[in-house]
Amino acid sequence: MTKQDFAYDARQALVANAFTRKGYSFVGWNTKKDGSGKAYKNKQEVVNLTSKDGSVVTLYAQWKKNAASIPSVKVIAHSQNLGWCDAISIGSVYGTTQKSLRLEAVRISVPNSRYSGGVEYRSHVQNAGLEKTWTR
């Protein structure tokens, strides 16, 4: 960004932030790098950033790390005698309980994802227990 000049004792708005930082959101300006100084909002109107006419003030961009977004995962299972069941959300019990029906197939997808890669899973197999390796 370019230098911005201010006339002493005159009200003027700070220029809009033009910086970007991947994975972060701009939250404002500060007179200290660590954010412990005087804070200013983007495009805030100010009068006299310093108490001395002719002084130079440096404002530092302040950033907030964006929260990681968790992709939506769609799971559909095929149960013995019931066929394909409705999709469920992650963390839900899938298949049947207390009916002694086998889970015969699973479809796992990440619809409309902006992420690359895949889904890894492992299953509990009747008379064998939890699979030791993950399947992709």
Side-chain angles (χ1 to χ4, degrees):
M1 288 184 52
T2 59
K3 175 182 156 186
Q4 185 176 6
D5 293 320
F6 288 83
Y8 201 72
D9 287 334
R11 180 171 296 278
Q12 185 175 339
L14 297 171
V15 172
N17 172 47
F19 296 117
T20 59
R21 186 175 176 193
K22 189 173 183 172
Y24 289 80
S25 295
F26 176 75
V27 294
W29 301 102
N30 201 291
T31 56
K32 303 261 180 155
K33 281 184 183 181
D34 66 2
S36 64
K38 172 80 173 145
Y40 297 96
K41 294 178 183 172
N42 196 31
K43 301 187 279 184
Q44 179 176 333
E45 283 198 357
V46 295
V47 177
N48 301 340
L49 292 172
T50 179
S51 59
K52 186 176 178 185
D53 189 10
S55 295
V56 174
V57 175
T58 300
L59 296 179
Y60 298 92
Q62 300 297 298
W63 304 94
K64 177 182 163 193
K65 187 164 180 62
N66 296 336
S69 61
I70 299 171
S72 172
V73 177
K74 182 178 177 183
V75 179
I76 302 173
H78 188 278
S79 291
Q80 175 188 10
N81 299 336
L82 298 176
W84 289 102
C85 301
D86 294 333
I88 60 149
S89 60
I90 294 304
S92 300
V93 174
Y94 207 80
T96 61
T97 57
Q98 305 298 318
K99 292 185 181 179
S100 298
L101 297 176
R102 288 187 306 271
L103 182 65
E104 297 175 330
V106 178
R107 289 183 189 154
I108 303 172
S109 63
V110 184
N112 305 318
S113 178
R114 64 177 187 254
Y115 300 97
S116 61
V119 175
E120 292 184 349
Y121 65 94
R122 56 186 188 164
S123 303
H124 186 277
V125 178
Q126 184 179 1
N127 299 327
L130 188 63
E131 294 178 308
K132 292 186 183 347
T133 59
W134 290 85
T135 302
R136 177 171 247 183

